[in-house]
Structure formats: structure tokens, C-alpha cells
Amino acid sequence: MSARDDILSNIRRSLGVSGTEAMRRQTVADRLAASPRGVVPQRGQGEPAAQRALFKQMAEAAQASLSEIASYADVPQAVAEYLRANNLPATLKMGDDPRLTDLAWSATALEVSRGRSHGDDLNAVSHAFAGVAESGTLIMASGPDNPTTLNFLPDNHIVVVAAKDIAGDYESVWTRLREHFGKGLMPRTVNMITGPSRSADIEQTLLLGAHGPRRLHIILVGS
């Protein structure tokens, strides 16, 4: 018996069940099929403009920085300006997301490379699947387009998100994920990122970059 089987066996024994009960199995199947929504906080509800304003407020409260641009054509210049304003090297790692790779990076002085990070990249840019207004959180779906390593290994992470993809609550984003990838199919990893990495474990002193990027900059595209 594997460790997993041993743990599940102990749980079933403590509950006094075998795991084969038809009613219990049907209850689980019905819930998976219906994907019921949980309790949705009121805070993130409202018109799209209000949701975007709340997203910006909550993201900045979590110590992320944010800039707004009109179109994707402005992304390369916005990234270059952010790096220059923070005295950061003009280097950038990105995945294969066509929303980023098809842009005119050659019009900037940035040295752009593609692929996952091996831990030696200072700056990375990714595209978020969505943003959550109620908490200022970015939803990142893993894959070659946006490797998960870019979320955690570079010191400075720039994330592009479309204004139309800002949702009021997490439940709405899970619905979109199921619609986009197909019910029962998900990317290997869905990361929820709220602000730069931080820890206050030692003497309650806040340390940025403890487990990931010390800077998170969000570029909100469109209106």
C-alpha cells in the first residue's frame, strides 16, 4: 500500500465509510458536474469601470505598481519605461504568448529572450489569464505561453493583463477557466499572485522578494 492509500484508508476508517457507497459517490459526481458557485463577496461586484478601479486599488495596496495603457502596441514602450525608471537592466525574458511575442520589441533597446527561466533572469514579462478585482490578484495559467518559472524566479516580474479580463470575484474566473480549457481540463498550474513576494516570519519584519519577485508591476491594457 502506498502512503497515499494509507492516508485515505485512515480517513475512511475514521469516517466509518468504505468509499464505495453509491449515495456518497453520486453526491460527489453531482457536485463536480454542476460546479456550484461559493459565497461571492459583494465588494467586487459592479460595473466594469468600478471593478478595474478596485483592482488597481487592491493591487497597489498589496505593494504592486500599476500603469495603464490604451493598446497592446504600447506594451513594449511601457515595459522599457518601467525598467529604465527603476534603473533595471534592459533585459527581458518571456514565454511564447503571441499577445507578447508579436509586439514590436525591436523598437525598444530591450534585449528579449524567450523560454522558461533557469533562475538567472532579472526581469520577466508574462500575460495574465485574468485579474480579480476584490483582491487585486492576478490569475496565471501555466504553459509554454507563460511558463510558471517566470512567476517566481526573476527578481522583477511585469504582468500584462487586459482590462476586459478583470473579473469581480474568483468564482467568475473559475467559470472562465472551465470555458476556456474545457470542463475537467485545466492547465497544470493556476497561480494566484497578489503583490510581490513577501514574508514577515522573522521578528515581524517585512521582507520583499522572500520567495519570488521583489517587484511586481502590472500593465493594464485597454479600458
Side-chain angles (χ1 to χ4, degrees), residues 7-196:
I7 292 170
L8 294 176
S9 178
N10 288 336
I11 293 173
R12 285 192 291 268
R13 186 163 48 250
S14 68
L15 294 174
V17 300
S18 67
T20 61
E21 293 84 356
M23 183 174 294
R24 291 174 63 85
R25 296 182 71 86
Q26 187 61 49
T27 298
V28 172
D30 291 345
R31 183 172 182 83
L32 290 173
S35 303
R37 293 167 65 90
V39 177
V40 178
Q42 183 63 33
R43 179 170 60 185
Q45 307 311 299
E47 296 298 320
Q51 291 178 338
R52 291 192 292 272
L54 179 60
F55 174 81
K56 179 179 179 179
Q57 174 190 338
M58 299 304 294
E60 291 177 337
Q63 295 184 293
S65 56
L66 188 146
S67 60
E68 299 178 76
I69 58 177
S71 70
Y72 276 92
D74 300 322
V75 168
Q77 188 60 37
V79 172
E81 288 176 356
Y82 171 77
L83 295 178
R84 184 166 56 250
N86 287 277
N87 198 30
L88 296 171
T91 59
L92 193 64
K93 177 62 73 72
M94 70 175 67
D96 295 328
D97 195 318
R99 292 170 295 185
L100 298 177
T101 59
D102 291 349
L103 299 176
W105 296 98
S106 60
T108 71
L110 296 177
E111 179 183 332
V112 179
S113 59
R114 286 162 59 175
R116 61 190 180 93
S117 177
H118 297 280
D120 54 354
D121 302 293
L122 286 177
N123 312 310
V125 61
S126 303
H127 200 292
F129 179 84
V132 181
E134 65 176 278
S135 58
T137 299
L138 295 163
I139 307 297
M140 312 295 294
S142 66
D145 284 358
N146 294 285
T148 297
T149 52
L150 300 186
N151 297 342
F152 299 108
L153 296 183
D155 267 0
N156 310 289
H157 194 199
I158 302 168
V159 179
V160 178
V161 61
K164 65 180 180 59
D165 291 333
I166 302 299
D169 50 78
Y170 290 91
E171 286 75 11
S172 296
V173 173
W174 286 116
T175 297
R176 292 183 192 177
L177 281 164
R178 284 190 288 269
E179 291 173 348
H180 181 80
F181 290 99
K183 188 169 177 59
L185 300 172
M186 285 287 180
R188 182 174 185 180
T189 304
V190 175
N191 293 124
M192 303 178 187
I193 299 176
T194 309

